[in-house]
Amino acid sequence: MYTKMGRSCIVNYIKIYNNMKKKLKFILLISFTFILSCNKKNKTAIIKNREATNTSVATLNDSIIKLANKAIVKGDTLAYNSACKFFSINFYEKEFLYYSITMADKYEYSQAYFDTYMILLNVNAENNITGCKLCNYYLLKSYEKNNHYAKDEVKELFTNKGLKIPTSTAVLQGK
């Protein structure tokens, strides 16, 4: 059926095809070897990066604790705000409660009063507790210190509802 010329073309194409398959296998083998060697280098680099990251996180945590301690020992509001931001971003509000209460009560820092109010409010919400006198005390104390966040919150909780704004002391005394 095939002519002699037709058969030779087909045979040539088959030879070329087989030759290309050999070259392709060779190229794939070299590529695969190269990729594997790169992966080993990348894994080593990833492991080194993880170790560096873990070290830096541990160092960062130590430095944040030192910053929070500096805030409550010296009354440093900048250190307090930085530490508060770190604790909040990393969902450690409850752990920050000690620092906010200390900063509020020891240095009468209005933002610390408000932060304490927010933390207590969240803790109470998690535990299905309503009507927290201590929460309201810290909110009103912050309000009395002219904290702008507290002003908005007091407006929403009292003024907008037509209620008289109590003093922080009155709330604690139950009046």
Side-chain angles (χ1 to χ4, degrees):
M1 285 197 198
Y2 293 107
T3 62
K4 193 172 187 182
M5 187 171 217
R7 273 192 209 163
S8 68
C9 283
I10 291 173
V11 171
N12 284 336
Y13 285 125
I14 291 173
K15 285 180 182 178
I16 292 171
Y17 175 74
N18 286 337
N19 193 17
M20 283 177 41
K21 271 177 55 176
K22 287 179 186 176
K23 287 180 181 178
L24 184 61
K25 285 180 183 177
F26 180 72
I27 291 171
L28 287 175
L29 181 65
I30 290 179
S31 298
F32 187 68
T33 306
F34 178 73
I35 289 170
L36 283 177
S37 67
C38 286
N39 277 344
K40 286 182 182 177
K41 289 178 185 175
N42 286 340
K43 286 179 183 175
T44 305
I46 288 169
I47 290 169
K48 286 181 181 177
N49 284 340
R50 282 186 187 157
E51 289 171 357
T53 301
N54 289 340
T55 303
S56 65
V57 168
T59 304
L60 179 63
N61 287 338
D62 288 343
S63 66
I64 291 299
I65 297 297
K66 286 178 184 175
L67 197 62
N69 285 329
K70 178 182 175 186
I72 62 174
V73 168
K74 296 183 178 182
D76 186 337
T77 57
L78 294 176
Y80 171 85
N81 289 331
S82 295
C84 182
K85 188 180 293 182
F86 174 82
F87 278 84
S88 296
I89 288 172
N90 292 289
F91 305 103
Y92 290 115
E93 291 95 356
K94 291 181 216 173
E95 290 79 2
F96 192 69
L97 184 59
Y98 165 76
Y99 298 102
S100 66
I101 289 174
T102 304
M103 193 71 175
D105 292 344
K106 188 174 180 180
Y107 298 104
E108 297 189 4
Y109 181 45
S110 71
Q111 186 60 46
Y113 281 115
F114 188 77
D115 292 338
T116 302
Y117 160 74
M118 292 301 294
I119 295 167
L120 289 173
L121 199 64
N122 289 334
V123 168
N124 287 338
E126 288 174 9
N127 296 309
N128 296 319
I129 299 171
T130 57
C132 173
K133 285 184 182 181
L134 197 56
C135 293
N136 288 336
Y137 166 78
Y138 279 102
L139 170 64
L140 292 167
K141 198 71 171 162
S142 181
Y143 173 78
E144 291 164 1
K145 300 281 179 193
N146 293 318
N147 181 280
H148 63 280
Y149 296 116
K151 286 181 180 182
D152 292 339
E153 192 75 10
V154 166
K155 183 178 177 183
E156 187 177 318
L157 291 175
F158 296 99
T159 310
N160 290 350
K161 294 178 182 176
L163 300 172
K164 181 182 176 196
I165 301 170
T167 64
S168 58
T169 310
V171 168
L172 274 187
Q173 293 173 350
K175 296 180 181 177

